[in-house]
Amino acid sequence: MEKKPSPELDRDPYDIQRSVKLGHFDQYRGLLFSIAYRMLGSVADAEDMLQETFIKWQAVTDENIRSPRSYLVTILSRLCINHLQSARVQREEYIGVWLPEPIITDSGDGPFDLIKVDESISMAFLVLLERLTPTERAVFLLRDVFEYEYGEIGSIIRQSEVNCRQILKRARQHITALRPRFEIAKSNHDALLESFLKAIGTGELSGLVALLADDVVLRSDGGGKGVAVPNEIRGMDKVGRGILGGISRLLPRNLIRKLARINGEPGLINYLDGRPHSVLTIEVSGNRISSLHVITNPEKLKHLPILV
């Protein structure tokens, strides 16, 4: 009997190579998105960077790549740095306060389930990262979050190990100077969010203010398309009055609330007619709320699931 040729032997070597590369890309997709989202603070931009990374990866002709993981991270990181350098101009022209796009991290079957979830993905921490330069941000994340060696980081950003250490030192100093001094238990975080929702439900200023830190800050991002205040509001009394006044004057009465894990922490999604209207997250210091982040820009909410 004549032996049939193996289907694998009949395949074009180029098609085999493309399949292998696709397999490597899919294997590290979660890592790549985890880095890109932290670098850019935007789901849409992170996905664009992944797409560009995939295109460049497929165009690579060198078959002797020792580590596809390192190669992919290098492509992605450089793309993100370049994007951030141009995005800074756009953010300077952004209407009002710019906040990162929120993601749900507790769905169990959503598109972000492969993302690395820790403190560095929280809304408050991503806001802190905005204070770093693109290169500082890349070095800080690759070293302190993803635990890359200095030699690897140097190859990625085209800097010496000595320079990488200096860049990381500056980045850590910026972050340390701005981070809250107290840690909070997750159970306390949940309890404070529940108490906050009860307080705004009653509309009593004293009960709300009692939950806020003296130097609490409220940041709201509407991007000129959603209801938001143009600047940060600071101080417990101003923030308390701003929240209650905004709820009574500006928010629709028929919003439906849904608690969710937003960027790894307790948060709230408000729905209007089944679609995301706004997202709220809080940062906690000690036993008080130290900052609130409200996102109403519809462009930053369109990737969130509808209410079913």
Side-chain angles (χ1 to χ4, degrees):
M1 181 181 295
E2 183 179 356
K3 186 177 181 180
K4 294 183 179 180
S6 169
E8 193 68 27
L9 296 177
D10 291 339
R11 290 182 62 188
D12 189 316
Y14 180 71
D15 288 339
I16 296 175
Q17 186 183 39
R18 282 178 61 89
S19 296
V20 172
K21 284 186 174 179
L22 177 60
H24 285 313
F25 185 83
D26 286 341
Q27 180 181 357
Y28 300 117
R29 180 186 293 272
L31 171 65
L32 297 174
F33 185 85
S34 292
I35 295 173
Y37 176 70
R38 286 169 172 81
M39 281 286 291
L40 306 176
S42 164
V43 173
D45 290 344
E47 290 175 341
D48 286 345
M49 292 302 100
L50 259 68
Q51 180 65 26
E52 287 193 43
T53 298
F54 178 73
I55 292 172
K56 289 181 177 293
W57 172 239
Q58 288 285 30
V60 173
T61 57
D62 186 359
E63 297 181 2
N64 298 314
I65 295 174
R66 294 181 180 179
S67 172
R69 181 180 188 269
S70 296
Y71 205 98
L72 285 165
V73 170
T74 297
I75 295 174
L76 177 85
S77 299
R78 291 176 181 175
L79 285 172
C80 287
I81 290 173
N82 292 338
H83 184 84
L84 269 182
Q85 289 169 340
S86 62
R88 283 187 175 275
V89 177
Q90 299 174 8
R91 291 182 187 179
E92 289 174 359
E93 300 172 352
Y94 191 80
I95 298 176
V97 177
W98 186 95
L99 291 174
E101 292 181 15
I103 59 174
I104 296 178
T105 51
D106 65 350
S107 61
D109 59 356
F112 309 121
D113 289 335
L114 294 177
I115 193 169
K116 176 183 171 72
V117 177
D118 57 20
E119 179 200 14
S120 68
I121 202 176
S122 70
M123 191 65 61
F125 201 84
L126 291 176
V127 170
L128 286 184
L129 291 179
E130 284 296 302
R131 309 294 182 94
L132 304 181
T133 68
T135 301
E136 287 174 344
R137 193 163 179 163
V139 172
F140 178 83
L141 289 172
L142 289 172
R143 178 60 182 170
D144 280 11
V145 177
F146 296 98
E147 301 178 339
Y148 275 71
E149 298 297 329
Y150 287 106
E152 296 176 285
I153 299 172
S155 298
I156 290 172
I157 67 169
R158 300 188 178 100
Q159 295 275 357
S160 68
E161 288 190 34
V162 173
N163 285 347
C164 287
R165 291 178 185 275
Q166 289 300 316
I167 293 169
L168 179 63
K169 182 180 179 180
R170 291 198 304 269
R172 284 174 174 169
Q173 288 172 342
H174 292 317
I175 293 296
T176 302
L178 294 167
R179 289 177 75 176
R181 290 172 296 171
F182 307 101
E183 295 296 330
I184 185 72
K186 291 299 181 184
S187 58
N188 251 4
H189 200 145
D190 285 274
L192 272 170
L193 179 60
E194 292 180 10
S195 297
F196 172 81
L197 296 177
K198 289 179 181 177
I200 62 175
T202 62
E204 293 183 5
L205 180 62
S206 59
L208 176 57
V209 168
L211 300 172
L212 307 178
D214 293 343
D215 56 352
V216 63
V217 56
L218 169 64
R219 302 180 181 96
S220 57
D221 178 349
K225 302 174 182 178
V227 175
V229 292
N231 301 301
E232 295 179 352
I233 300 178
R234 292 183 175 274
M236 61 166 62
D237 189 65
K238 290 183 179 179
V239 169
R241 293 182 185 278
I243 291 173
L244 295 181
I247 290 175
S248 63
R249 296 194 311 269
L250 302 175
L251 291 187
R253 299 293 182 184
N254 57 333
L255 288 178
I256 297 177
R257 295 176 179 172
K258 182 178 180 181
L259 295 175
R261 286 277 164 183
I262 305 295
N263 291 67
E265 296 187 331
L268 175 73
I269 305 175
N270 287 315
Y271 285 90
L272 179 63
D273 299 328
R275 298 193 173 277
H277 170 272
S278 53
V279 164
L280 165 74
T281 66
I282 63 172
E283 180 182 6
V284 174
S285 180
N287 291 311
R288 299 287 186 91
I289 297 173
S290 58
S291 65
L292 302 100
H293 304 104
V294 180
I295 301 167
T296 58
N297 184 344
E299 292 299 313
K300 294 188 175 184
L301 304 178
K302 61 184 180 182
H303 62 276
L304 298 178
I306 62 174
L307 188 65
V308 293

